[in-house]
Amino acid sequence: MIKVAMLSFSDGRKRVHDTLEPYIQEQAERIKAALEKSGVVEVQLAEEIVWNNALARSQAIATLARYPDAVILNIPVFAFPNFAMIAASLQTAPCLAIAPVNGKLPGLGGLQAATNAIHQVGLQCDKVWGNIEEEATLKRVMSFLRASHTVTRLKGQVYGLIGGRSIGMATGAVNADAWMKTFGVDADHVDQSEILRRAALVDEAKVDAALAWLSDKMGAIRYDGDKLTPDSLKMQIRCYMATKDLIEERHFDFVGVKCHYDLSEYYVTQCLSAALFNDPYDWDGAKKPTVYSCEADSDGALTMQIMKLVSDQPALFFDFRHYDKAAGVFVFCNCGAMSTWYAGRSSEPEGNLKKVTLHPIINKYGGKGCHVQYIAREGEVTLGRLSRVGDQYKMTLFRGRFKHFPEEKLKETSTVWPHGFVAVDVDPERLIQDYDSNHVHGIYGDHIDALVKFCELKRIACEVLQ
């Protein structure tokens, strides 16, 4: 849930405030009702409407104890602007001022005066003029709230970096100081050997139960007697359980695991972990997805965490593999790091996993285990990534649509890897030139506005390719 605190503002003269109070309260209730109707927002109204300096301070301080994701400044009249400025100066969450359309009262003027006073002293405050019941107004407010929720929830989170930089990919390395400075996120390192140590301690009965669940739910498991056997799949299950235990013990909010090489070369790949952690289920039942970035791509993991928080959906991780000019699609795939939820986007595991096949890993890897193969279901998708030059971050975003192709098309790339065939809303050549990584991340639906707003709130550059 997105937690919102609302402060309402009025005229500084008691006799005038008394006449305006019912209208101001009515507007607050309208906003609260419209936002809570979404099912993802909780709104807490301040106990008193602010009509003097003392209330501006006391009511603003009272909101801090609730640790809201966002603060709405309800300004439906010409409230004294310094009240909003005082209140905004005390907030730790992003602020949004809003005024309804009403020519009989100067709410628009009050909105402009208050936000200008806040901006003049170097503080941030977005503004929306419009009736909350109107679709366009509600959409703008919800985009802000999703972005603000992401900004607030990221603060104090801890990323578990398990292993180091994978196969020389410099764009995946974490800049821990820049993360804390820009996003409020800490990075904590653990060696990959800890996965192996804990894997050896996993109860055999739990492994057998997990294997039975996979055997029942998956579309197929293609054992080959070499790379993929019941024993190697059990080892991948053990690694998943070991990593789950590690995350719970260290209180990691999201993780990246190196895998290549070391684990993929001498033990088992971590493909099963990469898929299941990003899923909203496993053999223990429904769960919240935990962002898990393949190849310890740390900026990729941070991108996925931002996308997950903005959308409340599993986030994707895949590679630029190929552009098919004849079909008009980018082929995005990866050795096994795609959430299986995207196979069907069903709320029930069976609706997704019956479209998934576990294949033996390719001979490129010296180890054992499975790849988690499927083709992403058709639908709109928001794609992009954080990149940086030094410690200066930028987010590049673009829109696309997953398109369906028969499995025969996988022979053009890799028949055993998960794929997303994406028609993009940008010139393909421009995307190749302007996109700063081999990895790309995504979430279902159109979340561009919220992600752009997130970047504005964090004061980092954002480019939407279109």
Side-chain angles (χ1 to χ4, degrees), residues 211-351:
L211 180 60
W213 186 86
L214 289 172
S215 300
D216 177 59
K217 303 296 183 187
M218 288 289 172
I221 300 177
R222 306 295 189 195
Y223 294 119
D224 68 345
D226 178 23
K227 291 289 190 180
L228 180 56
T229 66
D231 284 342
S232 64
L233 184 52
K234 280 185 176 184
M235 183 57 183
Q236 287 181 301
I237 292 169
R238 287 180 175 276
C239 287
Y240 173 78
M241 291 180 172
T243 308
K244 197 174 186 180
D245 181 63
L246 177 60
I247 290 170
E248 290 174 357
E249 181 181 297
R250 299 291 185 93
H251 300 285
F252 292 149
D253 296 286
F254 60 115
V255 297
V257 177
K258 179 184 178 184
C259 186
H260 303 326
Y261 287 108
D262 310 336
L263 297 183
S264 66
E265 189 69 13
Y266 305 111
Y267 300 95
V268 294
T269 64
Q270 302 300 294
C271 301
L272 189 69
S273 291
L276 290 177
F277 271 109
N278 287 307
D279 277 335
Y281 47 75
D282 62 13
W283 41 78
D284 291 326
K287 66 179 181 65
K288 283 286 186 181
T290 297
V291 162
Y292 180 114
S293 176
C294 184
E295 297 165 335
D297 180 350
S298 299
D299 281 342
L302 182 55
T303 301
M304 293 168 72
Q305 185 72 346
I306 291 166
M307 287 181 165
K308 188 191 85 167
L309 289 170
V310 159
S311 67
D312 197 29
Q313 292 179 2
L316 284 164
F317 178 116
F318 34 37
D319 283 303
F320 277 84
R321 178 62 180 254
H322 174 58
Y323 181 69
D324 185 332
K325 291 184 179 180
V329 294
F330 272 96
V331 182
F332 293 144
C333 64
N334 185 266
C335 56
M338 288 169 57
S339 161
T340 68
W341 183 78
Y342 282 88
R345 299 199 306 275
S346 171
S347 59
E348 299 297 326
E350 296 83 353

Side-chain angles (χ1 to χ4, degrees), residues 359 373 407-417 419:
H359 285 273
Q373 183 251 46
E407 286 208 12
E408 282 290 310
K409 192 166 181 62
L410 300 183
K411 293 179 180 178
E412 299 172 10
T413 49
S414 173
T415 59
V416 299
W417 287 1
H419 281 64

Side-chain angles (χ1 to χ4, degrees), residues 43-218:
V43 180
Q44 180 75 43
L45 302 182
E47 291 186 2
E48 296 187 63
I49 294 172
V50 175
W51 65 273
N52 60 50
N53 296 335
L55 283 172
R57 177 178 169 80
S58 65
Q59 295 304 294
I61 290 174
T63 66
L64 296 176
R66 306 184 189 112
Y67 193 64
D69 295 313
V71 177
I72 289 179
L73 310 181
N74 173 36
I75 310 175
V77 299
F78 196 92
F80 285 18
N82 61 311
F83 300 160
M85 180 177 63
I86 292 168
S89 73
L90 291 163
Q91 299 307 317
T92 57
C95 294
L96 170 69
I98 185 168
V101 178
N102 184 353
K104 294 183 179 180
L105 285 169
L108 177 57
L111 178 73
Q112 297 291 79
T115 53
N116 184 64
I118 293 168
H119 296 160
Q120 186 170 286
V121 296
L123 299 173
Q124 286 183 301
C125 182
D126 272 45
K127 58 184 170 182
V128 171
W129 180 58
N131 296 323
I132 194 65
E133 296 85 2
E134 296 172 357
E135 183 179 353
T137 301
L138 183 60
K139 182 180 178 182
R140 287 182 62 195
V141 173
M142 288 301 300
S143 290
F144 175 87
L145 295 182
R146 290 186 183 280
S148 180
H149 167 78
T150 304
V151 167
T152 305
R153 294 296 162 181
L154 273 181
K155 291 179 184 177
Q157 288 199 354
V158 179
Y159 166 67
L161 174 58
I162 304 174
R165 190 177 75 178
S166 174
I167 55 176
M169 286 188 286
T171 54
V174 65
N175 184 331
D177 291 343
W179 274 28
M180 180 54 71
K181 177 182 177 182
T182 305
F183 304 102
V185 176
D186 186 29
D188 191 13
H189 180 259
V190 180
D191 194 88
Q192 287 190 108
S193 62
E194 186 62 4
I195 293 177
L196 299 175
R197 185 187 73 81
R198 290 172 185 252
L201 304 176
V202 175
D203 182 77
E204 188 67 30
K206 291 183 178 180
V207 177
D208 289 339
L211 180 60
W213 186 86
L214 289 172
S215 300
D216 177 59
K217 303 296 183 187
M218 288 289 172

Side-chain angles (χ1 to χ4, degrees), residues 343-393:
R345 299 199 306 275
S346 171
S347 59
E348 299 297 326
E350 296 83 353
N352 306 316
L353 294 178
K354 286 303 179 185
K355 298 178 174 65
V356 177
T357 301
L358 302 185
H359 285 273
I361 64 170
I362 60 176
N363 289 329
K364 172 183 174 180
Y365 306 121
K368 307 288 185 180
C370 72
H371 293 307
V372 183
Q373 183 251 46
Y374 69 89
I375 296 174
R377 181 184 170 187
E378 308 98 307
E380 189 176 28
V381 63
T382 298
L383 301 149
R385 179 185 170 87
L386 286 168
S387 60
R388 63 183 172 86
V389 176
D391 63 356
Q392 297 300 306
Y393 273 92

